[in-house]
Amino acid sequence: MEVTPIPVLTVPTVPYEDQKPGSNGLRRATAVFESRRHYLQNFVQSLLASVDLRDRQGCTMVVGSDGRYFSRTATEVIVQMAAANGIGRLVIGQNGILSTPAVSCIIRKIKAIGGIILTASHNPGGPGGDFGIKFNIANGGPAPDAVADKIHQISRTLEEFAICPDLRIDLSRVGRQDFDLENKFKPFRVEIVDSVEVYFNLLRGLFDFNAIKSLLTGPDQLKIKIDAMHGVMGPYVRRILCDELGAPANSAINCVPLEDFGGQHPDPNLTYATTLLEAMKGGEYGFGAAFDADGDRYMILGQNGFFVNPSDSLAIIAANLSCIPYFRQMGMRGFGRSMPTSMALDKVAKSLKIPVYETPTGWRFFANLMDSGRCSLCGEESFGAGSDHIREKDGLWAVLVWLSIIAARKQGVEEIVRDHWTKFGRHYYCRFDYEGLEPRAAFFIMRDLEALITDKPFKGQQFAVGNNVYGVEKADSYEYVDPVDGTVTKKQGLRIIFSDASRLIFRLSASGSTGTILRIYAESYEKDPSKHNKEPQAVLGPLIAIALKLSQIHERTGRKGPTVIT
């Protein structure tokens, strides 16, 4: 019986002005994607058209999502439009589920031209939550600025999009589905793959799974509690930590992916991962971890809820890479950290005589360093860390690193952290987020602050707060010159560095779906071990007072305090 080819339609549309991707793709309130006519289709068309037609014809792309509301609808539209735009093959996780690290892994494994990830990271989901579309390029990493700019340029003048509205796929059935299209681009193939398998096999080659399994199942078994926060990580946690590495099934909580993440923020920090925190405070478990919605961020807790600051976590991983077979074999070429991340990593790098690269926020900068062979390990203060095994931050990888370190050192989380502080000193650190600011107000706060701190008389100025006196050694608007290609990235945050090496950082972030986020970072170094038991906010209080005085953020926004403190 002859099958009628699926028609390809060209649909007229009107462009939108607000579709420029940020460092994490395009994020908007879900209602924007649902209610604005062709909003989703316009962005997908712009994204696909950013790939040169000669490269696009017959190429392979990967598609995955964190399972949030609207993902299935968006996946279906992406499949229909990919077919109409000449993509030859799509590889999609079963039921649309693929973590961000898994997408990066698969892109690299099958040499795909890129991948589309449907996620708004740690932002809430559901009809009243957020939705996002992120594009990763052929190296498996986030699209660089040049690609984002191209997508935006196309979106501003877009007049039509191509789609095969009659094309239907079964996301639940693993295997190949072929389609005959009514155009020269044929055949079109969709492969539904196991969401975990390829990524699992990669991890198996990086770690000593036998050592981790002995830690989790032996006579001195480490009891763990892992919170997937109803995001994408549920299947990965169950398959890898429970089925493969022997952790009891009840070690894993909130492992069923939900479209609204159970009504919670899928954000692994002390503000939102309260279920895990309460479980750890009881003292029954020696190790706890939580993941964000798409699996690239993580939080580590020790017994009794001992919190590991993500900047400290990165430094401790760097100091213990010899515990990981992958690094024993590959060696350590360099470290990378985002500029706002604490300088704890720098202390380790100096002791190991390994270069450390300070970059703007955004994993694409690390990917460039890794592709050039300059960087083996990198991380950001926003609960992200990873290595050159892929080109994304990787939450489960970080958890397996920590379990490997515990197995090798035969110490608990808190003991490992305190030993690290004794050897390298403690970097007291915190971040204040002012979310949902009116964009113009946030812009003018930063503009006026930049004018103040870059004025010549500001250098050398002293600030007295209580018994503390801070002298300004350096103040600037941070810019980055990429050592690989010489690209200059400007206005990446305002820095004030004091003579005692304390730092204040001010940075605008577009990771929210509405308004602008202004982040204030405070850091102070303490070498004396007898002073390592203080609360971070008590130590950093004088610095925070200086930050509030200089920025006048409360007076200028009417805010009484930050939205979130981490």
Side-chain angles (χ1 to χ4, degrees):
M1 177 179 171
E2 187 174 340
V3 178
T4 304
I6 297 171
V8 178
L9 303 184
T10 300
V11 180
T13 191
V14 176
Y16 289 94
E17 287 289 325
D18 66 341
Q19 293 197 331
K20 182 175 182 178
S23 60
N24 292 293
L26 182 71
R27 290 184 190 173
R28 295 287 182 267
T30 307
V32 171
F33 284 94
E34 283 199 295
S35 64
R36 292 190 186 178
R37 181 174 172 79
H38 298 156
Y39 193 85
L40 170 67
Q41 289 86 345
N42 276 26
F43 186 72
V44 173
Q45 181 63 57
S46 302
L47 189 159
L48 294 172
S50 71
V51 181
D52 188 272
L53 182 61
R54 291 169 298 180
D55 297 325
R56 195 165 73 231
Q57 289 184 11
C59 76
T60 296
M61 292 186 72
V62 181
V63 180
S65 82
D66 61 14
R68 69 180 57 232
Y69 176 79
F70 196 63
S71 291
R72 281 183 173 269
T73 298
T75 300
E76 184 173 86
V77 169
I78 288 167
V79 171
Q80 294 170 345
M81 294 185 66
N85 278 272
I87 304 297
R89 172 188 176 213
L90 287 183
V91 176
I92 308 175
Q94 188 176 19
N95 298 314
I97 294 290
L98 276 179
S99 72
T100 290
V103 170
S104 182
C105 170
I106 294 172
I107 290 172
R108 295 172 65 80
K109 175 74 174 177
I110 67 175
K111 295 180 170 56
I113 200 169
I116 298 175
I117 310 171
L118 304 177
T119 179
S121 188
H122 53 288
N123 292 18
D130 296 335
F131 189 76
I133 305 177
K134 178 179 171 182
F135 182 47
N136 282 29
I137 59 174
N139 71 351
D145 288 344
V147 175
D149 290 342
K150 187 175 182 180
I151 292 172
H152 187 219
Q153 290 168 7
I154 294 170
S155 74
R156 296 178 66 186
T157 58
L158 193 70
E159 295 181 349
E160 61 186 26
F161 61 85
I163 191 168
C164 298
D166 295 337
L167 195 157
R168 297 286 185 269
I169 60 168
D170 182 356
L171 285 174
S172 66
R173 179 168 59 88
V174 172
R176 198 174 79 185
Q177 302 171 44
D178 292 317
F179 303 91
D180 186 22
L181 306 182
E182 195 179 67
N183 65 5
K184 61 183 177 181
F185 305 126
K186 57 181 184 181
F188 174 67
R189 174 175 297 170
V190 175
E191 292 181 25
I192 307 299
V193 299
D194 183 286
S195 301
V196 180
E197 194 64 29
V198 175
Y199 172 70
F200 177 21
N201 288 334
L202 173 66
L203 293 181
R204 201 200 308 262
L206 305 179
F207 296 97
D208 183 346
F209 271 21
N210 289 331
I212 300 174
K213 188 169 186 176
S214 296
L215 176 72
L216 300 181
T217 62
D220 298 320
Q221 170 190 358
L222 175 70
K223 296 189 70 174
I224 67 174
K225 183 66 76 172
I226 309 295
D227 189 351
M229 301 190 82
H230 289 302
V232 75
M233 289 307 294
Y236 297 84
V237 169
R238 290 208 178 279
R239 178 88 69 88
I240 298 172
L241 287 174
C242 297
D243 296 348
E244 176 71 16
L245 295 174
N250 63 5
S251 300
I253 58 175
N254 299 323
C255 282
V256 177
L258 298 176
E259 289 190 335
D260 67 348
F261 310 116
Q264 304 299 316
H265 276 66
D267 196 350
N269 60 43
L270 295 177
T271 301
Y272 296 117
T274 52
T275 301
L276 175 67
L277 181 60
E278 289 306 312
M280 295 301 297
K281 281 181 177 178
E284 179 182 355
Y285 302 97
F287 179 88
F291 302 103
D292 71 339
D294 64 321
D296 60 357
R297 300 172 192 258
Y298 72 103
M299 177 179 72
I300 301 295
L301 296 177
Q303 195 165 27
N304 302 314
F306 181 85
F307 172 66
V308 183
N309 180 285
S311 293
D312 281 345
S313 178
L314 176 64
I316 290 165
I317 289 172
N320 291 277
L321 286 180
S322 61
C323 299
I324 315 300
Y326 174 76
F327 292 105
R328 290 201 297 269
Q329 178 184 349
M330 301 297 293
M332 292 167 276
R333 291 181 290 280
F335 298 143
R337 64 165 176 83
S338 64
M339 182 271 288
T341 301
S342 95
M343 298 180 71
L345 178 66
D346 301 54
K347 297 288 186 184
V348 177
K350 184 177 181 180
S351 73
L352 296 175
K353 295 181 173 58
I354 291 175
V356 59
Y357 297 90
E358 182 181 56
T359 74
T361 298
W363 216 258
R364 62 195 184 280
F365 298 103
F366 294 141
N368 222 24
L369 293 170
M370 289 187 284
D371 285 349
S372 69
R374 287 172 166 84
C375 184
S376 302
L377 171 75
C378 49
E380 296 178 338
E381 50 72 34
S382 55
F383 297 85
S387 84
D388 57 356
H389 67 292
I390 56 174
R391 296 297 181 267
E392 279 282 4
K393 45 187 175 281
D394 190 343
L396 185 53
W397 170 89
V399 166
L400 292 174
V401 169
W402 264 95
L403 291 174
S404 299
I405 294 169
I406 293 169
R409 294 184 51 161
K410 296 179 172 50
Q411 293 177 300
V413 171
E414 183 173 354
E415 189 177 1
I416 290 170
V417 173
R418 293 193 179 280
D419 279 0
H420 183 89
W421 290 342
T422 299
K423 182 175 181 180
F424 295 101
R426 180 175 183 182
H427 290 256
Y428 284 97
Y429 183 89
C430 73
R431 186 183 90 190
F432 282 42
D433 290 356
Y434 291 84
E435 299 178 332
L437 297 181
E438 199 279 316
R440 280 178 57 84
F443 168 81
F444 284 120
I445 288 172
M446 290 292 283
R447 185 200 65 178
D448 294 346
L449 182 59
E450 180 177 356
L452 174 67
I453 71 168
T454 56
D455 194 26
K456 283 186 178 180
F458 189 77
K459 183 178 179 181
Q461 187 170 335
Q462 292 192 329
F463 294 89
V465 183
N467 296 323
N468 301 277
V469 178
Y470 298 89
V472 177
E473 185 172 285
K474 178 181 179 182
D476 64 7
S477 176
Y478 174 68
E479 65 177 52
Y480 175 68
V481 180
D482 195 305
V484 180
D485 57 23
T487 302
V488 179
T489 307
K490 297 184 177 182
K491 291 190 174 295
Q492 294 300 299
L494 303 177
R495 301 187 296 182
I496 303 173
I497 302 171
F498 297 97
S499 54
D500 66 348
S502 296
R503 298 194 307 161
L504 282 173
I505 310 292
F506 303 82
R507 189 178 73 87
L508 296 182
S509 171
S511 63
S513 63
T514 57
T516 298
I517 303 172
L518 195 156
R519 305 193 196 277
I520 300 176
Y521 310 80
E523 176 181 3
S524 183
Y525 177 68
E526 180 55 68
K527 184 172 179 59
D528 185 353
S530 70
K531 299 179 180 179
H532 287 170
N533 289 319
K534 298 179 180 180
E535 285 297 318
Q537 288 184 46
V539 174
L540 298 169
L543 282 172
I544 295 165
I546 295 170
L548 297 179
K549 178 181 179 181
L550 292 173
S551 65
Q552 295 288 295
I553 187 170
H554 293 169
E555 293 83 353
R556 298 180 67 165
T557 64
R559 297 290 182 92
K560 294 182 179 179
T563 315
V564 177
I565 302 173
T566 54

